[in-house]
């Protein structure tokens, strides 16, 4: 895509997300020469900053989050700040948008509106943009999560945005789709002939997707109380990863070709029956413990959290996909805060050999010894676990891994998720953004479980901070004849 002149209007420009993710990512794109020299960033927020004060604040609050340097070089940093214009604006006051309209009208550039505000503001922002007669015909709008807290509220947000923007103009961010290793999963699947014949129920015993965090709710207790791990991580990030693993090969990398295939997976997810909700879904909440040797408070002691809170900070699910490729293959999804390590990985476990003619490690003739492990975090790697003969006399086999560590294989710098996604939004590439129907299909699947948990008399299962979650999660695996990697 061409490197084009643009005007990037950042709503919520004084917020945490702007300082921690968006402005640092835009800076890195600038540093790497990915932004057209006629690219301006209009920073909009209610606060009454002068231009000078705002830039000073960006230097103080956003610069520390930049990865890979450049901030210390005054020429580079000042050239970035020169792109920024601070525009104080009450987002609910339609009259105030005239100033923005004037700035935009004076520019010959594609407009990108980035809504890094509370979702309650999406509707008024879009309506006010339309009312202020800004030419939106070529514009794009980027939406940050959470896009609603259930199907109905996400529909209301989507409807409000759709009154002003066409679907091809709407970029819904799921930053997991911008991660390098997720892109690599597509390369692994669709640039190699090796895996495709095995990528199905006949060869795959089960698939595990884990996003584990060591962090707690990081001062976001208020927000997290009304959210929980199912909405915060499963409905979006984990289901998007699941789609990337399970989708049929799209006919091209065209945005809609890819999104059509992801949608088919989401629609094929088997709904949880009342019995499944007990046996194939676990929710947990951390109590005080220690992470990396540091003692940490329990969730209920975090600021902004109710003392009797029932919000889940951990979820483990046994999902299934009702189609010919995957029928009967468990897809285990797991995420949690305050777990033992920060890791995000996909493990595809292949079926065991039908008949052992060699002594197998641990005498486990029926155990699977082939696993493909795709690690997204903290480092990116792909490992294929096999058995190989141990040198020496006899025929003893041992597990070994064919190991591809990306930082060793490729010396190039790898773009961070936000950098990639923001540049894609500016250039008009929708492939890594979530389409409305995908988002709604994901809500449709998650919502009955959410409702069940809301009305259930049982509380989330406690787990100690620094552990791998409640024992019920291990029991859920055992029922399906599988194990989490920590349990092997
Ligand atoms: C966000 C969630 O979407 O993803 C956070 O709201 C979570 O709660 C974060 O911490 C995890 O992202 P990453 O890229 O650090 O794994």
């Amino acid at each position: 895509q061409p490197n084009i002149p643009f005007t990037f209007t950042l709503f919520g420009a004084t917020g945490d997300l702007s300082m921690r993710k968006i402005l640092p990512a835009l800076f890195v794109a600038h540093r790497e020469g990915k932004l057209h020299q006629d690219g301006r960033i209009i920073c909009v927020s209610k606060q009454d900053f002068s231009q000078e004060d705002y830039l000073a604040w960006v230097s103080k609050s956003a610069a520390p989050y930049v990865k890979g340097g450049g901030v210390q070089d005054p020429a580079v940093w000042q050239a970035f700040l020169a792109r920024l214009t601070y525009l104080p604006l009450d987002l609910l006051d339609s009259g105030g948008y005239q100033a923005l309209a004037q700035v935009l009208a004076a520019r010959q550039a594609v407009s990108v509106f980035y809504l890094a505000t509370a979702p309650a503001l999406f509707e008024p922002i879009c309506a006010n943009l339309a009312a202020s007669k800004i030419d939106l015909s070529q514009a794009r709008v980027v939406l940050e999560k959470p896009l609603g807290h259930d199907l109905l509220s996400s529909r209301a947000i989507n409807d409000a945005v759709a009154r002003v923007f066409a679907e091809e103009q709407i970029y819904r961010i799921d930053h997991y789709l911008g991660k390098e290793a997720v892109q690599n999963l597509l390369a692994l699947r669709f640039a190699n002939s090796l895996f495709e014949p095995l990528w199905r129920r006949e060869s795959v015993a089960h698939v595990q997707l884990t996003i584990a965090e060591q962090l707690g709710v990081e001062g976001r207790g208020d927000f997290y109380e009304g959210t929980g791990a199912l909405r915060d991580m499963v409905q979006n990030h984990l289901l998007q990863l699941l789609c990337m693993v399970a989708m049929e090969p799209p006919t091209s990398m065209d945005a809609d070709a890819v999104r059509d295939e992801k949608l088919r997976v989401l629609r094929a997810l088997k709904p949880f029956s009342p019995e499944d909700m007990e046996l194939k879904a676990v929710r947990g909440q951390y109590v005080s413990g220690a992470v990396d040797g540091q003692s940490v408070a329990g969730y209920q002691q975090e600021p902004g959290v109710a003392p009797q809170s029932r919000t889940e900070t951990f979820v483990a699910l046994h999902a299934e996909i009702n189609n010919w490729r995957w029928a009967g293959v468990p897809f285990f999804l797991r995420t949690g805060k305050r777990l033992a390590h920060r890791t995000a990985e996909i493990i595809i476990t292949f079926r065991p050999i039908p008949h052992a003619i060699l002594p197998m490690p641990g005498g486990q003739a029926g155990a699977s010894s082939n696993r493909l492990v795709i690690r997204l975090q903290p480092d990116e790697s792909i490992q294929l676990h096999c058995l190989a003969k141990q040198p020496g006399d006899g025929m003893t086999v041992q597990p070994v891994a064919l190991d591809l560590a990306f930082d060793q294989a490729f010396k190039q710098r790898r773009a961070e998720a936000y950098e990639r996604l923001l540049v894609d939004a500016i250039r008009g590439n929708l492939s890594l953004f979530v389409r409305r129907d995908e988002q709604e299909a994901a809500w449709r699947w998650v919502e009955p479980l959410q409702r069940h948990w809301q009305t259930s008399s049982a509380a989330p299962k406690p787990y100690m901070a620094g552990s791998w979650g409640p024992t019920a999660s291990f029991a859920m695996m055992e029922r399906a004849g599988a194990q989490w990697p920590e349990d092997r």
Side-chain angles (χ1 to χ4, degrees):
Q1 289 97 5
N3 193 351
I4 46 171
F6 66 88
T7 316
F8 187 101
T9 305
L10 177 57
F11 290 95
T14 51
D16 205 40
L17 184 71
S18 295
M19 293 298 162
R20 282 191 305 116
K21 296 281 189 196
I22 302 169
L23 290 169
L26 286 168
F27 170 73
V28 174
H30 161 87
R31 185 191 71 202
E32 299 298 321
K34 293 185 186 173
L35 302 185
H36 193 277
Q37 63 182 31
D38 185 16
R40 295 279 163 279
I41 302 167
I42 315 292
C43 299
V44 174
S45 162
K46 200 154 91 173
Q47 296 190 41
D48 202 13
F49 277 121
S50 67
Q51 167 81 359
E52 222 180 5
D53 289 349
Y54 181 71
L55 295 186
W57 200 35
V58 171
S59 297
K60 183 163 164 273
S61 309
Y65 291 99
V66 170
K67 294 201 183 130
V71 174
Q72 295 74 15
D73 183 339
V76 183
W77 181 249
Q78 291 304 325
F80 174 68
L81 291 186
R83 292 180 184 269
L84 271 50
T85 303
Y86 186 68
L87 187 71
L89 172 60
D90 177 353
L91 299 177
L92 295 173
D93 168 22
S94 56
Y97 284 67
Q98 285 317 316
L100 178 61
Q102 276 168 17
V103 176
L104 296 180
R107 292 187 45 75
Q108 296 285 321
V110 64
S111 267
V112 180
F113 298 100
Y114 195 110
L115 310 195
T117 64
L121 291 169
F122 290 2
E123 174 167 16
I125 292 173
C126 291
N128 286 335
L129 284 174
S132 63
K133 303 275 183 296
I134 293 172
D135 177 11
L136 300 175
S137 57
Q138 304 301 316
R140 330 193 204 287
V141 62
V142 187
L143 307 181
E144 260 297 339
K145 71 185 268 270
L147 286 175
H149 52 270
D150 56 14
L151 181 59
L152 204 66
S153 55
S154 88
R155 272 195 185 140
I157 293 173
N158 282 325
D159 284 344
V161 178
R163 282 196 280 278
V164 178
F165 294 98
E167 181 61 31
E168 316 78 74
Q169 297 178 287
I170 303 175
Y171 292 67
R172 294 180 192 82
I173 288 241
D174 184 313
H175 77 280
Y176 265 72
L177 292 180
K179 293 192 188 249
E180 185 74 22
V182 177
Q183 312 278 290
N184 240 309
L185 176 59
L186 294 181
L188 184 81
R189 286 196 61 193
F190 303 129
N192 297 291
S193 62
L194 190 62
F195 297 106
E196 173 56 21
L198 304 176
W199 214 261
R200 56 193 65 248
R201 62 192 303 282
E202 288 78 8
S203 304
V204 173
H206 55 77
V207 177
Q208 300 180 12
L209 300 123
T210 294
I211 304 178
E213 297 186 87
Q214 283 188 321
L215 295 177
V217 287
E218 302 302 293
R220 295 191 308 157
D222 283 337
F223 157 77
Y224 201 83
E225 269 293 85
T227 306
L230 189 65
R231 291 182 177 120
D232 191 40
M233 300 295 287
V234 179
Q235 186 272 343
N236 37 59
H237 308 322
L238 274 171
L239 285 185
Q240 285 293 329
L241 291 185
L242 177 141
C243 287
M244 290 295 197
V245 175
M247 71 180 179
E248 294 298 316
T251 49
S252 71
M253 280 303 288
D254 173 68
D256 277 329
V258 174
R259 300 187 304 175
D260 286 347
E261 295 308 335
K262 288 197 288 165
L263 178 64
R264 285 197 183 102
V265 174
L266 291 166
R267 289 196 171 149
L269 281 168
K270 184 176 161 203
F272 283 102
S273 68
E275 196 194 357
D276 291 344
M277 294 199 196
E278 302 304 330
L279 297 175
K280 296 186 172 175
V282 174
R283 62 170 172 161
Q285 190 188 72
Y286 61 87
V287 297
S288 60
V291 175
D292 268 352
Q294 298 282 319
S295 51
V296 296
Y299 177 68
Q300 295 184 357
Q301 286 79 53
E302 301 266 12
V305 173
Q308 303 292 318
S309 169
R310 288 179 154 231
T311 300
E312 78 285 353
T313 60
F314 174 96
V315 174
L317 304 176
H318 170 166
E320 283 171 75
I321 301 171
N322 279 339
N323 65 17
W324 274 45
R325 188 185 283 264
W326 295 117
V329 176
F331 278 73
F332 301 110
L333 313 182
R334 174 174 65 152
T335 186
K337 299 223 177 262
R338 290 284 190 231
L339 295 181
H341 295 297
R342 173 172 188 250
T343 162
E345 64 183 14
I346 300 167
I347 305 180
I348 295 160
T349 302
F350 294 93
R351 290 192 184 279
I353 51 170
H355 168 63
I357 58 169
L358 300 171
M360 302 296 274
Q364 296 173 303
S368 308
S369 38
N370 295 139
R371 270 173 290 128
L372 183 67
V373 180
I374 300 155
R375 176 161 302 160
L376 284 62
Q377 268 162 205
D379 43 2
E380 289 155 20
S381 63
I382 297 180
Q383 291 181 330
L384 183 60
H385 292 257
C386 311
L387 291 180
K389 181 188 166 296
Q390 191 177 292
D393 298 340
M395 250 336 246
T396 309
V397 289
Q398 288 293 328
V400 286
L402 304 172
D403 198 345
L404 170 63
F406 284 97
D407 55 354
Q408 283 161 30
F410 299 103
K411 294 297 169 210
Q412 293 99 317
R413 189 188 72 88
R414 291 189 294 286
E416 295 275 326
Y418 266 94
E419 175 194 339
R420 170 175 291 118
L421 295 174
L422 294 183
V423 171
D424 274 3
I426 291 168
R427 296 184 185 171
N429 182 2
L430 272 165
S431 313
L432 299 177
F433 295 86
V434 179
R435 209 168 56 189
R436 175 176 182 155
D437 47 11
E438 284 180 78
Q439 194 199 28
E440 294 187 357
W443 276 122
R444 215 168 278 122
W445 185 68
V446 156
E447 203 176 72
L449 186 58
Q450 186 77 54
R451 227 177 296 128
H452 172 71
W453 282 346
Q454 257 157 16
T455 51
S456 156
S457 57
K461 304 263 188 298
Y463 63 96
M464 228 202 301
S467 71
W468 278 106
T471 48
S473 145
F474 293 90
M476 179 191 89
M477 297 297 275
E478 219 173 287
R479 282 194 290 277
Q483 287 173 317
W484 294 120
E486 308 74 50
D487 208 20
R488 251 194 300 268

